[in-house]
Amino acid sequence: MKDAAHHDVVIAGGAAIGAAVAWHLLAVGDGSKTIAVIERDRSFRDASTSRSAASIRQQFSTPENIRLSQYGLQFLANMSDRQGPQADPGLILGGYLILAGRTGLAALQDNHRTQIAEGAPIRFLDVDALAQTFPWLDCDGLAAGAHGEACEGWFDADALLQFFWRDLRAAGVPLIEAEITAVDTAPGRVTGVQLADGRQIGCGALVNACGPGAGRLAALAGRPLPVEPRKRTVFVVHCPTAPDGLPLVADPSGIWVRPEGRYHLTGYSPPQSADQTADPHDLEPDHGLFEETLWPALAARIPAFETLKVINAWAGHYDFNTLDQNAVIGPDPELPNFIYANGFSGHGLQHAPGVGRAVAEWLAFGAYRSIDLSVFGYDRIAENRPVIERAVI
Ligand SMILES: Cc1cc2nc3c(=O)[nH]c(=O)nc-3n(C[C@H](O)[C@H](O)[C@H](O)COP(=O)(O)OP(=O)(O)OC[C@H]3O[C@@H](n4cnc5c(N)ncnc54)[C@H](O)[C@@H]3O)c2cc1C
């Protein structure tokens, strides 16, 4: 008989990714594995999941990311069928419009070819077509845009998280509220974790679902992982003159904007050279950013936003993979029962269902059965061989 403080699978972090792994383990496994989720804050207040812009797109450059989004979209669309109206994720298929200037044109064209090959219904628009289709857009400096309508949009992140946890609670999966402060290892494997309250939990496998804290958890196991927190501020603005039916617009300047009810959300991703590691405790919105950088660029691209009022702002941390802005998924080569599900660099929420299913398949069968995610394996980290995701917002 097993010690009560031992589980076949221990999942570190219980937000979107950790919960998705646990949920899919129940769905794909034979039910024989015991699971526990260890989460330092069950309110999930500071988790990236709760601070996300909760948007979903198929405009990626890595085919596997497109496939993960396709499964994510299907999953969101079926949630109410599974749990009833309480699980409605509020999915709005408002579309994405990703814009490029001359320097980004070749990449946009290349990404578009990949998306079409993956069956993503994305339209490529030259600058004349852009001006005609979106009369509210100032096309100065633009060369083209790519627009996905029916396959892209936004949803309620909390609804997705609660969906997973309703089923996990019903199945009796324990959510242990504690911080993991140490990872115990023996040669070639992880044996358990130690918690801040002094408890020790043994495990057959440990899944790293610690979001922006994933690099720190890996370090506790003595393993390097180039995932760190990068701060992003989201502003809620009221702009009565904003055009109706705006898609999520992502501009080459780094700004993005999308509708949110009667308001709009907008944010800014700095160029890599100006992007820095964040203090994990710093969740103070960067208010100066709005006046100095974001608003001028937003109003230049969509002049209707010249008049607006900031209603609210929040900050969160991207789980940023400094090697290639792509996920790290699968087993550690030196500790094969230590499984990564990290480094999503700002697109992990939409991929949570697909990543959860893939990691569950790995744990249950030792192989991916639906989407092959071996491209995201840790080997590339060890070999310093980036698999660049070019479409990072
Ligand atoms: C401003 C912003 C906008 C975003 N917009 C989008 C978007 O539009 N679309 C999209 O798909 N993605 C978006 N993302 C990214 C997305 O939110 C994340 O990739 C995703 O939520 C990651 O989920 P996660 O479960 O891995 O991490 P998290 O949600 O951060 O969860 C990790 C959990 O691990 C716990 N934890 C960490 N360390 C420990 C430890 N040592 N012991 C115990 N528990 C621990 C934490 O408390 C936390 O609850 C955005 C992110 C931000 C910040």
Side-chain angles (χ1 to χ4, degrees), residues 134 138 147 211 239 255 291-292 318 338 358 391:
F134 305 108
D138 185 327
H147 183 218
C239 173
I255 60 127
E291 296 275 337
E292 287 154 26
Y318 271 15
F338 183 38

Side-chain angles (χ1 to χ4, degrees), residues 66-224:
I66 302 170
R67 291 173 208 161
L68 285 171
S69 284
Q70 288 167 338
Y71 177 66
L73 192 66
Q74 189 192 325
F75 194 90
L76 290 167
N78 290 336
M79 277 166 54
S80 304
D81 289 346
R82 286 175 165 141
Q83 281 186 2
Q86 62 175 349
D88 182 356
L91 178 64
I92 293 179
L93 295 174
Y96 265 66
L97 175 62
I98 299 190
L99 302 168
R102 266 231 300 267
T103 49
L105 179 60
L108 192 77
Q109 283 169 325
D110 207 30
N111 296 350
H112 182 246
R113 274 189 289 273
T114 305
Q115 291 149 14
I116 294 299
E118 291 298 323
I122 310 294
R123 267 195 317 157
F124 191 87
L125 303 165
D126 65 18
V127 79
D128 291 337
L130 270 182
Q132 214 170 23
T133 315
F134 305 108
W136 37 262
L137 194 68
D138 185 327
C139 294
D140 188 36
L142 293 181
H147 183 218
E149 238 172 331
C151 63
E152 302 184 314
W154 42 91
F155 60 98
D156 179 349
D158 192 53
L160 178 64
L161 185 58
Q162 294 314 322
F163 172 90
F164 289 134
W165 273 109
R166 262 193 296 275
D167 280 349
L168 291 172
R169 272 193 302 271
V173 173
L175 173 57
I176 300 168
E177 190 171 30
E179 173 150 16
I180 297 173
T181 50
V183 175
D184 299 326
T185 58
R189 67 193 173 95
V190 167
T191 55
V193 294
Q194 295 185 31
L195 309 184
D197 58 17
R199 278 180 289 173
Q200 200 275 341
I201 312 248
C203 64
L206 176 65
V207 178
N208 184 346
C210 285
R216 275 173 295 139
L217 190 88
L220 293 179
R223 303 296 296 147

Side-chain angles (χ1 to χ4, degrees), residues 228-298:
E228 60 181 38
R230 297 268 175 108
K231 188 158 101 171
R232 297 290 184 267
T233 302
V234 179
F235 298 89
V236 184
V237 299
H238 185 215
C239 173
T241 52
D244 285 338
L246 199 78
L248 189 153
V249 180
D251 188 63
S253 63
I255 60 127
W256 59 267
V257 64
R258 74 153 171 88
E260 174 74 4
R262 65 192 179 104
Y263 298 131
H264 286 81
L265 302 185
T266 181
Y268 170 72
S269 288
Q272 277 254 45
S273 54
D275 203 9
Q276 288 171 359
T277 310
D279 170 348
H281 303 292
D282 174 14
L283 286 164
E284 186 59 31
D286 185 352
H287 292 287
L289 178 73
F290 189 80
E291 296 275 337
E292 287 154 26
T293 311
L294 201 158
W295 192 12
L298 174 61

Side-chain angles (χ1 to χ4, degrees), residues 15 17 39-40 48-49 52-53 55 180 211-212 319 346-350:
I17 296 291
E39 166 56 54
R40 66 181 170 203
S48 303
T49 296
S52 166
S55 306
I180 297 173
D319 41 356
H347 48 261
L349 187 69
Q350 64 199 284

